[in-house]
Amino acid sequence: MKQYVCGICGYIHDEAVGGKWEDLPADWKCPVCKAGKDAFKPKEEKTAFQEVLEKPHVDKELSPMEMSIICSNLARGCEKQYLPQQADDFRKLAEFFRSKAAPIEEASTAKLLELIDKDLSVGYPYGNAIAGEKHDRGGLRCQVWSEKVTRMLQSLLTRYESEGDKMLENTGVWVCTVCGFVYVGDIAPELCPVCKVPSWKFEKMEGRA
């Protein structure tokens, strides 16, 4: 009997207890974080180390929207460090760059999944390698959290491609204000599957008319 591990929250599906993996329905979800079957890997599977890693587009000039996102994240980081003035300054920068951003030409689910696949196959392996080389514990922790969140977004978008708006009927969408983890369910989880903060750290996203 095999065991399958969720790449987002670490939940282990043991075939000896929960039945054979291939017998689980295609829409089966992790009981902890609600990720789809695509987020699971056999426990014994190990990713081969890439000696030569492709370098992300770090040498490319960032777009106004990318700058806005970075400044927005820095503002939130400053809030967590109780630096209100710096947080306010970064928010103003985020708003400035957002005002200069060109409209997004393609925002389809397929395009978003393409960008996420690129992050998971190139960005995170490269970031993990650099942070490990520099013995940057903070950087490694950031990589772990954000990669788990990204894998959850990949799982949710894949599910949305299959189910469409029906996926969001009669349920809620919750976002962890600390790590950004997205949870689809009636109520927020007791603990964030990624960063382990309590449910009151989640915000419910309201739908647009």
Side-chain angles (χ1 to χ4, degrees), residues 129-153:
I130 296 301
E133 181 183 304
K134 301 295 184 182
H135 304 290
D136 185 347
R137 293 179 61 189
L140 286 170
R141 186 182 186 189
C142 175
Q143 290 283 314
V144 169
W145 280 14
S146 58
E147 183 174 350
K148 287 177 181 290
V149 169
T150 302
R151 290 192 182 280
M152 188 62 195
L153 290 174

Side-chain angles (χ1 to χ4, degrees), residues 50-107:
Q50 294 174 284
E51 292 187 3
V52 180
L53 293 171
E54 182 182 347
K55 189 176 183 181
H57 64 283
V58 292
D59 295 329
K60 174 185 172 184
E61 183 176 341
L62 296 175
S63 69
M65 181 56 73
E66 288 171 323
M67 287 297 298
S68 176
I69 292 169
I70 289 172
C71 289
S72 178
N73 287 338
L74 287 170
R76 178 157 290 187
C78 287
E79 287 177 355
K80 303 302 179 187
Q81 297 297 319
Y82 303 102
L83 299 171
Q85 182 59 58
Q86 291 87 335
D88 187 56
D89 289 342
F90 277 122
R91 273 194 294 270
K92 290 176 180 176
L93 283 172
E95 291 169 4
F96 169 79
F97 283 115
R98 188 176 183 84
S99 70
K100 302 298 181 182
I104 298 174
E105 296 179 1
E106 183 182 356

Side-chain angles (χ1 to χ4, degrees), residues 106-182:
E106 183 182 356
S108 65
T109 304
K111 181 61 177 179
L112 289 172
L113 282 169
E114 178 186 327
L115 294 171
I116 286 175
D117 287 339
K118 183 73 171 179
D119 281 343
L120 292 172
S121 63
V122 178
Y124 285 110
Y126 184 81
N128 281 320
I130 296 301
E133 181 183 304
K134 301 295 184 182
H135 304 290
D136 185 347
R137 293 179 61 189
L140 286 170
R141 186 182 186 189
C142 175
Q143 290 283 314
V144 169
W145 280 14
S146 58
E147 183 174 350
K148 287 177 181 290
V149 169
T150 302
R151 290 192 182 280
M152 188 62 195
L153 290 174
Q154 181 188 49
S155 179
L156 290 173
L157 283 170
T158 300
R159 182 181 161 196
Y160 185 77
E161 270 201 319
S162 173
E163 301 179 24
D165 291 339
K166 183 180 178 181
M167 165 185 163
L168 303 175
E169 289 179 359
N170 302 315
T171 191
V173 177
W174 306 82
V175 178
C176 176
T177 59
V178 175
C179 71
F181 175 78
V182 180

